[in-house]
Amino acid sequence: MAPLPPNHEKLERFIHEVLCDLPLRRAPHTLERRVLAALEQRARLSWWRQGFTHWPRPARASFLVSAVAAAGLVTAPGWLTPSTVIAPLADVASHLGWLTTARDLLDTFAATTGIVGQAIPPLWLYGALGVVAALYAALFGLGAAAYRTLTTMR
Amino acid sequence: MNDDIPVQTSSSGLTDPVAFTLFMRNYQDMVFTTAVRLTGDAPTAEDIAQEVFMKAHAHFGMLQASPAAGGWLKTVTTNLALNHLTRYRNRWRLFSELRRADSDGGDSPPEAEFAAPEELFSGLDAAERRECVGRALAQLPTAQRVPLVLYHFEELSCDEIAGQLGVSLAKVKTDIYRARAALAKLLRRGGPGRETFPG
């Protein structure tokens, strides 16, 4: 590292002396009361409103088990094979005629949506996307201009 | 320290409220001063000091008899103050720093002008001099004040400051130099003596 020029060193020494001469600032009288009140309030909080580390051990264990189960459910479509799910469901559906009707309706809806989607020219879609982007940018610019105007006025 | 307030003896969820209150009284000025020097704002510093003592309470068993308690409190205060400043900076950086960038000047360090201490503070007693310095320090922009405080008060090296703030070493050095020059300039306004030290 290159040494500082003499004038920089002089400035550094000067500022260091000036700053080190500053005494500690007295903490506000309210601080102690605030801390004790906050501690008291925290002590009154129910365990589930405190941090996870303050929870009782059984609650923490149950929470972890529930979290793992929830994660398993969410990721189920990824690891469940059709044979493990669809076959039993089809078996159940065969006993429930209205489920078949509901499935047919959903199929029809999906097919209609697909046809309509294909009928829209791509140019329209790009145009719509462009309009959305332009509106977003305009709103963002308006917000920035308002912020700068208001902070300048303060 | 706040010796005029009686030590709290109510339960307040503490294992030993008297001991904790005394502990707090021993360190609250140091914690508050560290926070206020970094943030430049007394109400924010008080919030940070409160958070520090809440954390200290959680570790009171370990801190109570530890000679390193002061260092622990200082480190926690510095980290919390820097976290606060980072959150604030990230929130407003997009808008507020656009304008500052326009008026920030180049990368070269500015010319520093300052008076010799004995001339600068002539006619001021010690209390007035300290008040003058404290006021000038609070007037510095955050980007300059924080590295200056970490360097001169917390005695961190430029490398450590760069690591803490997540900026380059060169930026830290420039900001510290700018801060010193700006501080000297602010102090000079009140003093008759003047020297010029080109960068």
Side-chain angles (χ1 to χ4, degrees):
Chain A
M1 193 173 76
L4 287 170
N7 42 13
H8 285 221
E9 279 180 9
K10 198 171 173 183
L11 176 63
E12 179 176 345
R13 247 194 334 271
F14 164 70
I15 293 295
H16 193 72
E17 279 169 24
V18 164
L19 292 180
C20 290
D21 189 40
L22 283 179
L24 290 182
R25 271 185 69 168
R26 201 183 163 105
H29 284 285
T30 47
L31 177 62
E32 186 181 311
R33 244 172 290 146
R34 279 180 57 175
V35 172
L36 293 173
L39 288 173
E40 209 164 331
Q41 194 184 8
R42 193 168 71 180
R44 280 203 303 264
L45 278 180
S46 318
W47 61 264
W48 66 84
R49 294 180 64 191
Q50 295 187 26
F52 185 69
T53 48
H54 297 279
W55 288 17
R57 204 164 283 184
R60 272 191 280 177
S62 324
F63 177 80
L64 285 175
V65 170
S66 320
V68 170
L73 275 177
V74 169
T75 56
W79 52 266
L80 284 179
T81 56
S83 58
T84 57
V85 180
I86 293 172
L89 282 181
D91 192 35
V92 172
S94 64
H95 299 289
L96 300 168
W98 62 271
L99 272 181
T100 317
T101 315
R103 193 196 61 192
D104 290 345
L105 276 173
L106 278 175
D107 282 349
T108 311
F109 178 73
T112 312
T113 311
I115 291 165
V116 171
Q118 281 170 1
I120 297 174
L123 200 63
W124 285 27
L125 287 174
Y126 295 139
L129 280 175
V131 168
V132 168
L135 285 174
Y136 181 81
L139 197 64
F140 193 79
L142 208 64
Y147 172 81
R148 294 181 77 163
T149 310
L150 289 172
T151 49
T152 312
M153 282 165 64
R154 249 193 289 172
Chain B
M1 283 162 235
N2 303 338
D3 294 335
D4 44 342
I5 301 173
V7 173
Q8 172 132 352
T9 52
S10 74
S11 66
S12 54
L14 306 173
T15 46
D16 187 353
V18 176
F20 185 71
T21 306
L22 290 174
F23 173 83
M24 212 162 33
R25 286 184 185 180
N26 280 335
Y27 291 108
Q28 62 182 359
D29 288 350
M30 182 272 285
V31 167
F32 178 74
T33 304
T34 305
V36 85
R37 280 174 184 163
L38 282 168
T39 60
D41 180 55
T44 306
E46 193 177 353
D47 290 346
I48 289 170
Q50 179 182 336
E51 212 176 323
V52 170
F53 283 114
M54 297 290 283
K55 284 184 188 292
H57 178 259
H59 298 91
F60 191 49
M62 175 266 287
L63 291 173
Q64 192 171 10
S66 169
W72 187 93
L73 288 168
K74 208 163 203 192
T75 305
V76 173
T77 309
T78 304
N79 290 340
L80 287 178
L82 293 180
N83 283 348
H84 169 85
L85 291 170
T86 308
R87 273 202 306 272
Y88 185 82
R89 191 180 60 196
N90 286 342
R91 204 175 299 154
W92 298 110
R93 181 187 339 225
L94 182 65
F95 301 139
S96 60
E97 291 193 359
L98 282 175
R99 187 172 48 225
R100 195 182 308 151
D102 298 341
S103 56
D104 211 17
D107 280 341
S108 55
E111 184 179 272
E113 282 182 45
F114 63 94
E118 61 278 7
E119 293 168 351
L120 191 68
F121 298 121
S122 62
L124 298 178
D125 63 22
E128 287 170 332
R129 191 175 67 218
R130 286 168 185 155
E131 198 188 321
C132 176
V133 175
R135 233 186 358 253
L137 185 64
Q139 281 176 29
L140 290 179
T142 306
Q144 292 178 358
R145 189 183 57 250
V146 170
L148 186 81
V149 168
L150 292 176
Y151 187 86
H152 286 288
F153 289 113
E154 308 307 323
E155 296 181 345
L156 298 184
S157 68
C158 288
D159 277 320
E160 288 169 322
I161 297 170
Q164 284 251 15
L165 301 180
V167 296
S168 70
L169 182 62
K171 176 162 171 50
V172 168
K173 286 180 179 172
T174 307
D175 282 345
I176 291 176
Y177 184 75
R178 281 177 189 277
R180 286 181 194 137
L183 193 62
K185 203 171 174 183
L186 284 168
L187 294 174
R188 180 169 54 84
R189 285 181 188 162
R194 183 184 302 186
E195 293 177 28
T196 303
F197 295 86

